[in-house]
Amino acid sequence: MCGIVAIHGSPDPLLGSRMLDRLTHRGPDDQGTAVLPGTWLGHRRLSIVDTDGGHQPLTDAAGNHLVGNGEIYNHADLRARFAGHRWSTGSDNEVALHLAVAGGGAALADLRGMFALAIAGPGLPFLAARDPVGVKPLYWARTPHSVVFASEMKAFDRAHRSRVRPFPPGCFWTPQEGLRRFAHAMPRHTTGPDAPAEHEAAVRAGLIASVHLQMMGDEPPGVLLSGGLDSSIVAAIAARWCRERGYRLRTFSVGTAESADLAAARRVAAHLGTEHFERTYTAEAAVDRVPDVVRAVEHYDPALLHSSVANHFLAELAAQHTKAVLTGEGADELFAGYRYLREFRDDNALDAELRRTVSTLHTLNLQRCDRTTMAFGLEARVPFLDTDFIATAMSVPVRLRRPDHGRREKHLLRKAFAGWLPDDLLWRAKEQFGDGSGMSGVLRDAMSGLITEADFQKTGHAEGIRNREELAYHRIWHRELAGISPRTLDRSMTL
């Protein structure tokens, strides 16, 4: 997990250095740069895999260079394809370098993981790419002399910020080919028999495989344990994996003293026998944290920030004990966990909405997940959003994922893991993390109180702001990220 900067065209090393300095929090362990014909590459490193030998930019014998952010979970399998090949490091990212040089951008479809990367050298003049789900962030901007890439919006010089756009997931860009898609986040069509038991078994096996794959690293990752269903299931799988190898899983939870999620997480941790760490915070501490969180998350949506403040406290706690964690992101989008989805009565409409929510995760929940953790040099992994597991989940007919007919939301997922958690925890009603952690009510009242109704009526509507709380966040966001267009937060766009 790292921060990257790439400049292609007429590279300016001073610009690159300034941008890289703004990403120090993403990679506190190491820094590296490379100057090549027409390209400047910069990297900030958080050392997790091959901590001694994985310095970046990575290079091959021909002089091709790569800077990458993220993890390639199937790197060992991909290495086996290159029989007799000489490897320079044990880094998972080195596989991406050799794969792209050998097969171009289309070859990146073989990567299973979360990544944003840039490659340049004699075998591949320049290529930038982002994983199919958009778990890892990447932004780009076309300046008068170059195309500039970075892991966060704040990395860009203010003069370039009006041009910044999210780089679209599942795509690569080269100067010769332009923007091309190499992979989709999910299968185009959902098919599968109406056989609940078969789907429960497939979901269980698929998620176990995804968690096991993402336990890679020089030491096992911990789990951000909210106390809700999704992170509790991930923790249950990871705890078994750790016990079988002589480890004790570490879990982390936060909330106000009276929060329901904190109490539930404590019970899950006790049941699983994890080494559990928790932190409580006051309303005053939460409000004081808001400017830091808006700066980190680079967003001003209230619903996103309610959970982001809690996540910020949580990441700060976890980073004191580990460098990587698993989270439960993505389960609600795949298994119809949100309350509003009960309003959908047509299977096709519900399927379309679930696909939409997954395709926009990179600008909402995944943006929160990445930024709050990387603010403390912590890597977050998302087993529910492994592309193989997405395909498994989407093969379940939507009628079996529908939260109606008296069934609790995520009914099939709960049944798939019967026996892994106590029934009262397995079937506990869902609460949004911002609600369950006690954050939503705290922030809604405090932030709304900073804006008068007259002020909102005067300026809020003109900015497209929905309420007084959002206007309070928007003003912080505008101050911290002056020059960024609000529409940049909505979707990926070509330059």
Side-chain angles (χ1 to χ4, degrees), residues 24-337:
T24 300
H25 56 281
R26 296 189 68 90
D29 295 334
D30 193 13
Q31 175 175 318
T33 63
V35 181
L36 298 96
T39 300
W40 186 94
L41 301 176
H43 186 261
R44 293 291 323 192
R45 186 183 183 212
L46 177 66
S47 304
I48 294 176
V49 178
D50 190 11
T51 55
D52 295 329
H55 172 81
Q56 294 193 29
L58 296 167
T59 61
D60 65 11
N64 298 295
H65 290 64
L66 172 145
V67 289
N69 170 27
E71 302 287 353
I72 309 301
Y73 299 125
N74 63 338
H75 71 104
D77 292 339
L78 292 174
R79 281 174 181 260
R81 293 188 189 179
F82 293 85
H85 192 82
R86 194 178 82 179
W87 299 92
S88 300
T89 72
S91 169
D92 55 298
N93 275 237
E94 189 178 355
V95 169
L97 172 61
H98 293 288
L99 200 67
V101 170
L108 298 177
D110 291 339
L111 298 178
R112 186 175 176 186
M114 53 181 190
F115 57 87
L117 54 85
I119 299 172
L124 194 62
F126 184 84
L127 177 144
R130 188 180 186 188
D131 71 75
V133 183
V135 180
K136 291 294 93 196
L138 187 64
Y139 294 88
W140 59 337
R142 188 180 295 278
T143 73
H145 306 292
S146 304
V147 181
V148 185
F149 301 80
S151 296
E152 295 184 6
M153 290 181 277
K154 68 174 68 68
F156 291 85
D157 274 9
R158 184 165 180 171
H160 300 152
R161 286 182 176 178
S162 64
R163 303 182 177 98
V164 173
R165 300 290 183 268
F167 191 87
C171 292
F172 70 89
W173 181 86
T174 68
Q176 298 79 22
E177 299 176 84
L179 190 66
R180 295 286 184 270
R181 178 166 293 281
F182 67 86
H184 291 272
M186 63 182 75
R188 293 184 180 275
H189 301 288
T190 300
T191 58
D194 192 354
E198 292 181 17
H199 289 296
E200 289 165 17
V203 164
R204 181 169 56 253
L207 188 59
I208 290 172
S210 179
V211 170
H212 286 185
L213 194 63
Q214 297 189 24
M215 296 299 287
M216 63 178 272
D218 289 359
E219 66 174 39
V223 173
L224 299 186
L225 182 60
S226 71
L229 175 71
D230 312 327
S231 63
S232 296
I233 289 175
V234 169
I237 298 169
R240 288 192 183 186
W241 185 96
C242 286
R243 280 196 302 271
E244 291 169 359
R245 291 158 179 81
Y247 295 103
R248 189 181 179 196
L249 178 70
R250 292 174 176 175
T251 52
F252 308 93
S253 303
V254 299
T256 56
E258 67 279 3
S259 66
D261 275 356
L262 192 62
R266 195 177 299 138
R267 289 191 56 216
V268 171
H271 174 77
L272 299 177
T274 70
E275 184 180 4
H276 189 59
F277 302 87
E278 67 178 38
R279 174 181 177 180
T280 59
Y281 51 77
T282 64
E284 293 77 15
V287 174
D288 288 344
R289 188 64 66 102
V290 166
D292 290 340
V293 174
V294 173
R295 184 185 308 113
V297 176
E298 302 185 322
H299 217 297
Y300 56 84
D301 178 81
L304 193 68
L305 289 169
H306 291 170
S307 55
S308 294
V309 173
N311 269 115
H312 203 259
F313 281 115
L314 185 55
E316 184 179 39
L317 170 65
Q320 297 169 15
H321 304 279
T322 187
K323 287 190 174 183
V325 289
L326 307 181
T327 82
E329 298 289 348
D332 287 319
E333 289 75 15
L334 294 172
F335 293 98

